[in-house]
Amino acid sequence: MKKRGNVAISKLEKKNYKWIYLFLLPSLLIFLVFYLQPIITVFYTSLTKWDGFNSPSFIGFQNYVDMFQNEAFLISLKNIVLWSLIAGTLHVGFGVLVAFVLYHKPKGWKFTRTVFMIPNVISAAAWAMIYKFIFNDEMGILNNLIRKINPDFHVQWFYDSPYAFWAVTFTWLFYSVIVTLVVLNDLMAIPEELTEAAKVDGATGWQITRRIHLPLCRNAIGTGVICSITARIAMYEQIALTTAGGPGDDTMNLPIILVKSIQDMKYGYANANGVIMFILGLVILAVVNKAFKMNESVY
């Protein structure tokens, strides 16, 4: 009797799977047409000399050889490593901190939530222009405040080395609403029984946060790390509208090189940069998934 019941359940599951596959079909078709085919094209044309108009001419790995011999590209990799470390620690850490503060609902938490989210609905390009005025030496609020203490202070933040790197960093460092929302969602999903049981056992607020809340939010935090670091790899507007990769190559990154290559009609070289960005994204995804054990259940 039990065996017949299992067989019936198995048949029902298979029947349901057919509907699941049917609903997944549109997404699969969209992926094949709009994602997989362009990805394959990018990989292939990265091995060619191509001006975007004439037929690509196969040249093997020459674009990659030229890329790794380009000082601007090597500086871009160094900048990506530094920005990724900052994004994965300070940027995500600040977002997680705000999420935990909002979760405990202190006095004025609704106002704080609103104020914190307002800057994040403004486009990256708009923020870049706003910061260009904030960091302006003559009219910028930052330098004018500093000159209240040091009247002789004069720095053109976006045009002087090494200040340009940190000026670009500050255009995104404290705007981590995505991280906050993802982590806050996980916090609110934690059963109250777990917190109450810990309090009954004599756990302090810090112990509950460290031993219950943080471990149960690891998937959300890992997602925040992935989003933050990949955003730094694809960061374009903040640099293009402020430093354009300068002074020298101090704030150069891969998207700037990619766009400049397209403007110079070097589509094969540009796609080689795109392949590197794609591979970096996959590596980050794999490393963060492993570090945060995101494929394992948290409960």
Side-chain angles (χ1 to χ4, degrees), residues 227-269:
C227 292
S228 298
I229 295 179
T230 52
R232 304 289 70 79
I233 294 174
M235 181 169 58
Y236 177 74
E237 296 98 326
Q238 293 96 324
I239 298 176
L241 295 174
T242 54
T243 66
D249 292 323
D250 278 13
T251 59
M252 184 61 67
N253 73 340
L254 296 183
I256 294 292
I257 294 176
L258 188 151
V259 172
K260 286 184 176 180
S261 300
I262 292 174
Q263 292 172 343
D264 293 337
M265 310 299 288
K266 298 179 180 178
Y267 281 76
Y269 188 83

Side-chain angles (χ1 to χ4, degrees), residues 61-240:
F61 291 96
Q62 188 59 48
N63 285 326
Y64 293 94
V65 172
D66 294 342
M67 201 160 47
F68 279 93
Q69 291 177 346
N70 184 354
E71 186 179 357
F73 173 77
L74 298 178
I75 292 174
S76 297
L77 291 182
K78 182 196 75 172
N79 289 340
I80 285 175
V81 170
L82 291 174
W83 276 322
S84 296
L85 290 173
I86 295 170
T89 53
L90 295 179
H91 180 75
V92 173
F94 183 68
V96 172
L97 177 62
V98 174
F100 273 85
V101 171
L102 295 178
Y103 173 70
H104 290 290
K105 299 181 179 179
K107 186 177 180 180
W109 72 277
K110 289 185 178 180
F111 175 77
T112 302
R113 181 184 61 184
T114 303
V115 171
F116 182 67
M117 291 184 182
I118 286 175
N120 292 274
V121 299
I122 300 175
S123 70
W127 265 121
M129 297 307 297
I130 290 171
Y131 267 92
K132 200 166 185 178
F133 286 104
I134 291 175
F135 286 133
N136 184 275
D137 184 43
E138 298 299 327
M139 67 181 74
I141 185 173
L142 178 63
N143 282 10
N144 279 303
L145 287 175
I146 295 175
R147 279 195 282 267
K148 298 291 184 181
I149 304 171
N150 181 6
D152 297 325
F153 184 85
H154 289 281
V155 170
Q156 288 285 8
W157 292 91
F158 284 118
Y159 306 105
D160 293 341
S161 179
Y163 306 107
F165 178 89
W166 296 107
V168 169
T169 302
F170 273 101
T171 62
W172 55 262
L173 183 58
F174 297 112
Y175 303 104
S176 52
V177 70
I178 301 300
V179 178
T180 297
L181 291 177
V182 173
V183 174
L184 185 59
N185 182 68
D186 262 23
L187 281 171
M188 296 177 71
I190 296 174
E192 284 291 333
E193 292 81 359
L194 291 177
T195 303
E196 294 300 325
K199 289 179 179 178
V200 170
D201 290 338
T204 64
W206 169 243
Q207 288 173 328
I208 292 173
T209 297
R210 186 165 61 91
R211 296 182 180 274
I212 297 178
H213 292 164
L214 276 174
L216 293 179
C217 289
R218 74 166 189 269
N219 282 345
I221 297 172
T223 301
V225 172
I226 291 172
C227 292
S228 298
I229 295 179
T230 52
R232 304 289 70 79
I233 294 174
M235 181 169 58
Y236 177 74
E237 296 98 326
Q238 293 96 324
I239 298 176

